[in-house]
Amino acid sequence: MTEQVRDRYDVVVVGGGAAGLNGALMLARARRSVLVVDAGAPRNAPADGVHGLFAREGVSPVELLERGRAEVRSYGGHVVAGEVGAVVREGAGFAVEVAGRVVRARRVLVASGLVDELPDVPGLRERWGRDVVHCPYCHGWEVRDRAIGVLATGPMSVHQALLFRQWSDDVVLFAHTAPAPTDEQAEQLAARGIRVVGGEVAALEVVDDRIAGVRLADGSVVARDTVAVATRMVARTGFLDALGLRPVPHPSGMGEHVPVDATGRTEVPGVWAAGNVADLSAQVGASAAAGAAAGAHINADLVLEETRLAVDAYRAPFSAAAESRVADLVAGNRRHGL
């Protein structure tokens, strides 16, 4: 927390990744007072670069976020490091607990991302983001033509193996503890030259800080230099419990997310969500776009509220209290007069 943090904001954004920062940027450019609270644990921290992002291909995650924070601040937005303890309803708005203090907000944008839950196989977590990967569109080019092993974790693993086959003709699917491929899937794998290895995976073999193979429970080792695994992805939302907003199973079976409509609006009035917390498979570009859309719709929602209050005041006889209330909502820190 810093001296710049105020007691009240139009919007508090929980999460300082692509979705949160782009949402905050839209709001700050709309002359909204906005606070971004960033816990400093981006999902893509282990990655060397961000891919599939127009005009920023290969940029490091650290540099991208640094630029984003600077852009938000350049329009008057506040970005602070810290964790949100809880968000509770307070009248028409919210009280947000941030690093031991309470900040009031009229709206909340949740962009807290997700947690990747990996199978309990020794070596996976240690190599995560390096030679253990998950998304072919994020990492496929970097592991092209390598010996790739796909560790099956569920019904989507066959699809994952078929996708990685686009980048390498040496792909092996390790059945591990997942259900065996159906007859149709087995035919697809065979047609694409993807070998299926049965038996439970015991660990990854690492030599000179690089994956050398996949060791099975029977002691045999299959030489591989890259392992792809589909994680179970769970939205970070513990701070929303007091609002009754909790993640639900995703229709794909890939994990748990917060359902939103096309604008990012959740089932709790006044709360929007964007990025991986709502869309488990979104890459950086899609997360940023969702944040921008949510920011624009939050501003529009506030405009409607302010217009309704202004109309009420317009119809009523003039009073200093009414004028002050409208000025506070519409102009915020730019207000003048009563």
Side-chain angles (χ1 to χ4, degrees):
M1 299 294 287
T2 69
E3 294 298 324
Q4 71 177 352
V5 176
R6 299 196 296 267
D7 292 329
R8 294 180 180 275
Y9 289 88
D10 288 324
V11 184
V12 168
V13 179
V14 185
L21 289 174
N22 216 26
L25 181 63
M26 293 290 285
L27 289 159
R29 283 178 49 82
R31 308 190 74 181
R32 295 294 177 187
S33 59
V34 58
L35 171 67
V36 179
V37 184
D38 182 15
R43 181 190 184 197
N44 62 356
D48 292 330
V50 173
H51 301 290
L53 183 61
F54 175 70
R56 286 292 180 265
E57 170 60 28
V59 65
S60 79
V62 172
E63 179 185 346
L64 185 67
L65 296 183
E66 286 178 348
R67 291 176 62 94
R69 288 190 287 266
E71 289 170 352
V72 171
R73 288 174 174 137
S74 73
Y75 288 101
H78 294 168
V79 183
V80 298
E83 294 189 4
V84 170
V87 179
V88 300
R89 176 72 68 182
E90 186 175 81
F94 304 91
V96 183
E97 181 187 334
V98 182
R101 64 175 290 181
V102 175
V103 174
R104 268 75 186 184
R106 298 169 63 194
R107 301 292 186 272
V108 173
L109 172 56
V110 179
S112 48
L114 58 80
V115 174
D116 287 293
E117 296 181 350
L118 287 161
D120 186 18
V121 173
L124 280 182
R125 175 61 65 182
E126 293 80 3
R127 309 302 304 177
W128 178 246
R130 295 191 284 171
D131 37 16
V132 172
V133 300
H134 71 291
C135 170
Y137 300 105
C138 302
H139 311 287
W141 177 262
E142 284 65 39
V143 302
R144 66 193 184 281
D145 299 325
R146 294 186 186 178
I148 300 173
V150 177
L151 179 62
T153 58
M156 294 297 292
S157 294
V158 169
H159 178 65
Q160 187 181 33
L162 292 170
L163 285 178
F164 271 100
R165 177 62 179 80
Q166 173 65 22
W167 282 266
S168 173
D169 60 5
D170 185 2
V171 178
V172 170
L173 176 65
F174 293 91
H176 193 43
T177 58
T182 65
D183 291 343
E184 181 182 8
Q185 290 173 329
E187 184 179 42
Q188 292 172 340
L189 293 167
R192 294 292 282 160
I194 300 172
R195 182 162 61 100
V196 179
V197 174
E200 187 172 346
V201 170
L204 301 186
E205 291 285 313
V206 178
V207 177
D208 295 331
D209 197 33
R210 302 179 69 174
I211 291 178
V214 175
R215 177 159 48 86
L216 302 175
D218 63 8
S220 62
V221 175
V222 179
R224 297 287 92 183
D225 54 31
T226 301
V227 171
V229 57
T231 64
R232 183 174 184 271
M233 299 172 281
V234 181
R236 295 187 180 109
T237 61
F239 55 90
L240 298 173
D241 286 351
L243 297 178
L245 186 57
R246 296 178 175 84
V248 300
H250 192 273
S252 67
M254 295 188 298
E256 298 179 356
H257 73 136
V258 174
V260 297
D261 67 11
T263 73
R265 192 189 302 261
T266 72
E267 64 181 13
V268 175
V271 178
W272 273 254
N276 285 141
V277 72
D279 183 354
L280 299 180
S281 61
Q283 290 182 268
V284 170
S287 292
H297 284 283
I298 290 172
N299 179 63
D301 189 58
L302 289 169
V303 167
L304 290 176
E305 178 182 87
E306 291 158 357
T307 301
R308 176 179 57 79
L309 292 170
V311 168
D312 290 345
Y314 179 78
R315 291 173 177 173
F318 173 81
S319 71
E323 181 70 11
S324 177
R325 173 63 174 157
V326 172
D328 184 53
L329 287 173
V330 176
N333 292 329
R334 307 185 306 278
R335 59 176 296 191
H336 300 283
L338 297 172

